[in-house]
Amino acid sequence: MQTQETLQPTTKSERILAMDTIRGISLFGILLMNIIVFGLYKAYFDPTNNGGATGWNLTVWWMNTLFFEGTMRGMFSMLFGAGILLFTGRSVENTSGTVVTDLFFRRLMWMVLFGVIHCYLLLWDGDILYTYGIVGMFAFSFRHLAPKHLIMASAIILIVAAAFNVKDYFKIKDAFGKVTIAQTKKTTGRNLVKEDSTAIEKWNAILKEEKATPTQVKEEMTARSKGYWSIVMHKLPVNQYMETTFLYFLNFWDTLAMMLWGMAFFKMGILKAAKSNRFYWLMALMGYGIGITINYFEGSHIVSSNFSILSIYKTFMTYNLGRIPTTCGHIALIMLFVKSGFLPFLQKSLAAVGQMAFTNYITHSIICNFIFLGYGFSMYGKLQRYELYYIVISIWVFQLIVSPIWLKYFRFGPLEWLWRSLTYWQMQPFKR
């Protein structure tokens, strides 16, 4: 009789060092972007809302725009797609495909639950676990496709995602055009018709959603400085939006596309550091040459427009044209780093961080929320944008030190161990 016990979690010897290293770097990169949402109000794309938009604050915004926005999340999603192939592709005697499928979907079921807890109780509305659990169920069906077909499918999905961004831009542009006409009438003393009043009301609603007044910032700081359960209830509407509307109209398509791209790169050997140095150098040069150039022109347009709503939405239309090549450039550079053997102690530490990515990811939320919310130091909205990165670097150093030490004594991170035990319906060995 075939049993699930014949299939066991991946052992350390079976892990791919290159993938763990990418995972560690991308996890750290994700914190570079997430810290803005942890610490500032509506400042992720628009630094004029909170945290400062001049001097070092503007420099930090530029660095993120050119190199990190969407790229670290993209790499993380690609690795999850590759992980689907690793998990479902293991061949064990007396183990059927049905058993592997059962284990895989149970694994995702628990991930969805972890995501809900992370979002609603650990108070991180930018949670990715719930998204990966949902989207992974769809990505599973693509696992047998050839690399070129996976890339084609990913491109089609990204076109769908771009269509939503185009729709949103023209919706904002139309609203801006109508309110401009209405305000011109109002300024020149002409009578406003019903359509003009409606246009002004509609634009004011958009401004309230996208821009933050000093009063709104103060109100949000006050709300997040209260006790734990008060913050849970305050963030409930945002959390519900992020795990419903935002997921299905935006995040689903982005995540699925990058998972399929990751499957293709895994099958091609790119994520295993299996290609030549020449291949990776060309990949880096082409990726950065295209991606950073597009990112630069997008950033320049936004800055020259003083971070207007219309300029930000306009750059969303070309978002993936800059983000994806830059992501490929990052992967190529990391693979060259892995292949070089340079700074072996750092590579070991980064791989350990990647091996404990689940635990380290949740730890980011626990640490940052304690720093910024009312049940901790209540620093929300009080730091400048560049000052947030003192916290980021401190967390990086902490996890680079702790992760390899932990894995010296334990087989998995604590949450990785719990997830595996729940997936296989049996307690997994923990200590070495």
Side-chain angles (χ1 to χ4, degrees):
M1 180 178 178
Q2 295 170 338
T3 63
Q4 293 180 2
E5 284 73 22
T6 59
L7 191 62
Q8 298 297 325
T10 305
T11 63
K12 184 176 180 180
S13 61
E14 294 173 316
R15 300 195 69 89
I16 299 173
L17 177 65
M19 290 181 61
D20 281 335
T21 304
I22 300 179
R23 189 177 290 108
I25 292 172
S26 60
L27 180 70
F28 280 173
I30 285 172
L31 183 59
L32 278 174
M33 306 308 300
N34 285 353
I35 194 69
I36 301 164
V37 183
F38 277 120
L40 299 172
Y41 184 55
K42 290 186 178 180
Y44 189 88
F45 289 110
D46 188 349
T48 63
N49 283 334
N50 193 200
T54 59
W56 278 106
N57 295 315
L58 182 60
T59 300
V60 167
W61 180 88
W62 262 115
M63 293 296 290
N64 286 340
T65 298
L66 289 175
F67 301 109
F68 302 116
E69 167 51 34
T71 61
M72 300 293 129
R73 184 184 72 249
M75 283 199 296
F76 212 58
S77 299
M78 290 172 73
L79 290 166
F80 192 88
I84 292 174
L85 298 183
L86 281 170
F87 189 91
T88 60
R90 288 174 291 167
S91 178
V92 180
E93 188 177 358
N94 297 326
T95 300
S96 68
T98 303
V99 170
V100 175
T101 302
D102 179 54
L103 289 169
F104 176 75
F105 278 89
R106 190 186 305 153
R107 174 182 171 89
L108 292 188
M109 176 192 74
W110 289 114
M111 176 164 273
V112 168
L113 179 60
F114 285 133
V116 170
I117 294 170
H118 187 211
C119 181
Y120 289 94
L121 297 182
L122 297 183
L123 301 173
W124 177 229
D125 48 274
D127 166 72
I128 200 66
L129 302 175
Y130 181 84
T131 299
Y132 282 0
I134 298 294
V135 178
M137 298 179 188
F138 291 83
F140 176 81
S141 298
F142 292 82
R143 68 193 187 283
H144 294 308
L145 293 181
K148 66 177 181 180
H149 295 140
L150 285 166
I151 292 175
M152 288 172 59
S154 179
I156 292 170
I157 293 167
L158 288 171
I159 290 172
V160 173
F164 284 110
N165 290 331
V166 171
K167 176 185 71 67
D168 288 342
Y169 168 69
F170 280 101
K171 181 180 177 181
I172 294 290
K173 184 180 180 182
D174 180 67
F176 180 75
K178 289 179 179 178
V179 77
T180 301
I181 294 171
Q183 288 173 340
T184 301
K185 285 185 178 180
K186 189 175 181 180
T187 302
T188 56
R190 287 182 286 172
N191 293 329
L192 301 182
V193 298
K194 182 179 179 181
E195 287 77 9
D196 295 325
S197 298
T198 301
I200 292 174
E201 291 175 4
K202 185 176 181 180
W203 186 252
N204 286 338
I206 292 172
L207 283 175
K208 185 177 180 181
E209 181 67 27
E210 301 292 340
K211 291 289 184 178
T213 65
T215 300
Q216 288 174 319
V217 173
K218 187 175 180 179
E219 289 174 350
E220 190 67 20
M221 289 172 64
T222 300
R224 299 200 187 204
S225 67
K226 296 180 180 179
Y228 173 75
W229 286 110
S230 175
I231 300 172
V232 168
M233 299 310 297
H234 172 71
K235 294 195 70 176
L236 186 60
V238 173
N239 292 338
Q240 289 175 332
Y241 167 79
M242 292 300 292
E243 295 206 333
T244 54
T245 304
F246 180 79
L247 169 61
Y248 293 112
F249 282 96
L250 294 171
N251 216 19
F252 178 91
W253 305 99
D254 179 287
T255 305
L256 179 58
M258 298 314 293
M259 283 185 184
L260 300 190
W261 208 290
M263 288 182 179
F265 273 23
F266 179 79
K267 290 186 175 186
M268 294 165 68
I270 294 173
L271 296 179
K272 305 177 195 177
K275 296 291 186 177
S276 66
N277 286 353
R278 182 175 182 274
F279 176 91
Y280 288 120
W281 277 116
L282 287 173
M283 181 176 168
L285 290 171
M286 290 180 64
Y288 286 143
I290 296 170
I292 294 175
T293 300
I294 293 174
N295 292 342
Y296 173 77
F297 282 108
E298 289 176 348
S300 296
H301 176 67
I302 293 172
V303 172
S304 65
S305 302
N306 195 30
F307 296 92
S308 70
I309 297 172
L310 197 60
S311 68
I312 293 173
Y313 271 83
K314 187 174 183 178
T315 61
F316 287 164
M317 294 193 293
T318 55
Y319 179 73
N320 285 316
L321 296 179
R323 186 269 288 246
I324 291 178
T326 307
T327 302
C328 292
H330 290 337
I331 291 172
L333 204 61
I334 294 168
M335 292 298 95
L336 287 168
F337 174 55
V338 171
K339 286 167 66 69
S340 71
F342 184 61
L343 298 176
F345 64 94
L346 179 59
Q347 291 198 28
K348 180 182 177 182
S349 292
L350 286 168
V353 170
Q355 194 173 336
M356 292 177 57
F358 185 11
T359 296
N360 286 326
Y361 175 63
I362 297 297
T363 302
H364 290 173
S365 299
I366 294 171
I367 293 173
C368 289
N369 281 332
F370 189 78
I371 291 171
F372 293 111
L373 299 183
Y375 58 84
F377 295 116
S378 195
M379 294 297 295
Y380 185 79
K382 297 179 181 178
L383 297 178
Q384 294 187 57
R385 194 181 192 94
Y386 80 89
E387 291 175 325
L388 296 174
Y389 292 93
Y390 299 147
I391 297 171
V392 170
I393 293 171
S394 299
I395 293 174
W396 285 358
V397 172
F398 170 73
Q399 293 187 334
L400 281 170
I401 294 171
V402 171
S403 296
I405 294 174
W406 179 276
L407 292 176
K408 184 177 179 180
Y409 299 99
F410 299 95
R411 296 173 182 267
F412 313 107
L415 289 180
E416 284 79 5
W417 172 81
L418 176 61
W419 189 21
R420 282 163 170 77
S421 297
L422 290 170
T423 296
Y424 291 89
W425 286 140
Q426 64 180 13
M427 297 282 283
Q428 298 297 311
F430 194 26
K431 290 185 177 181
R432 291 200 178 281

